[in-house]
Amino acid sequence: MIEERVSLRYARAIFELAMEQNIAKQVYDDFALISETVRQTHELVVFIENPVIKPHKKIAVFEEMFKAKISQSTMKLLNTITEKGREILILSISKQYEKIYNQAFNRLPVNIVTASELDAQHKEQLVKKLADAFGKEILPTFTVDKGIIGGIKFLVADKIIDSSVKNKLDKLKHDMVFN
């Protein structure tokens, strides 16, 4: 909980600075790259979390890894976070920044789960309907889960909208047992 609050404070400050400098999208993209790299590299996670390694050594590694790939402003922010001993919060800060960015620019990530792969036309129609329903730009992630049997399930923020066949069968079973 404390980690989330600290990360949120950093993310807000970074977002405000990025908006002032008109680089919010660039910082968003930079954080996405940094997060993806950290998530994919176990050794980097161990390195970041090691309290024995001095901040200047971590900064040198970050600069080696990211300097040519991210903006100079984001590199400075990453260095500042590391100098303050908050590098272990990089993923959390990135996640909070993404939430703030999406909210500010009226974007909504949605995980769409279906029993079989949808073709491009159906995906496009579904995203359009969701955009109309929510009044936001939809950032879809499509997942196939044969376990839902049929229908569709949406994961939006902390909510699940489940109109899958499996869910309906589970409700029917529950009603039959308890009624």
Side-chain angles (χ1 to χ4, degrees), residues 153-166:
K153 185 165 59 170
F154 303 100
L155 294 100
V156 182
D158 296 335
K159 296 180 182 123
I160 298 174
I161 303 165
D162 192 345
S163 63
S164 66
V165 172
K166 181 184 183 329

Side-chain angles (χ1 to χ4, degrees), residues 47-59:
F47 173 78
I48 289 170
E49 292 178 351
N50 189 335
V52 176
I53 300 172
K54 301 290 183 207
H56 70 275
K57 289 188 179 183
K58 290 181 181 183
I59 289 170

Side-chain angles (χ1 to χ4, degrees), residues 62-63 66-67 70-79:
F62 290 150
E63 287 189 354
F66 298 116
K67 195 169 188 171
I70 64 175
S71 70
Q72 185 178 359
S73 296
T74 306
M75 193 71 238
K76 285 180 184 177
L77 293 168
L78 186 58
N79 290 346

Side-chain angles (χ1 to χ4, degrees), residues 6-39:
V6 172
S7 297
L8 182 58
R9 261 188 260 138
Y10 271 95
R12 281 185 184 142
I14 292 167
F15 182 75
E16 288 174 14
L17 181 64
M19 288 297 286
E20 286 175 15
Q21 296 178 357
N22 205 22
I23 58 168
K25 172 71 167 117
Q26 179 64 50
V27 173
Y28 173 87
D29 293 341
D30 291 346
F31 269 124
L33 174 70
I34 293 165
S35 295
E36 188 64 26
T37 303
V38 171
R39 280 191 209 100

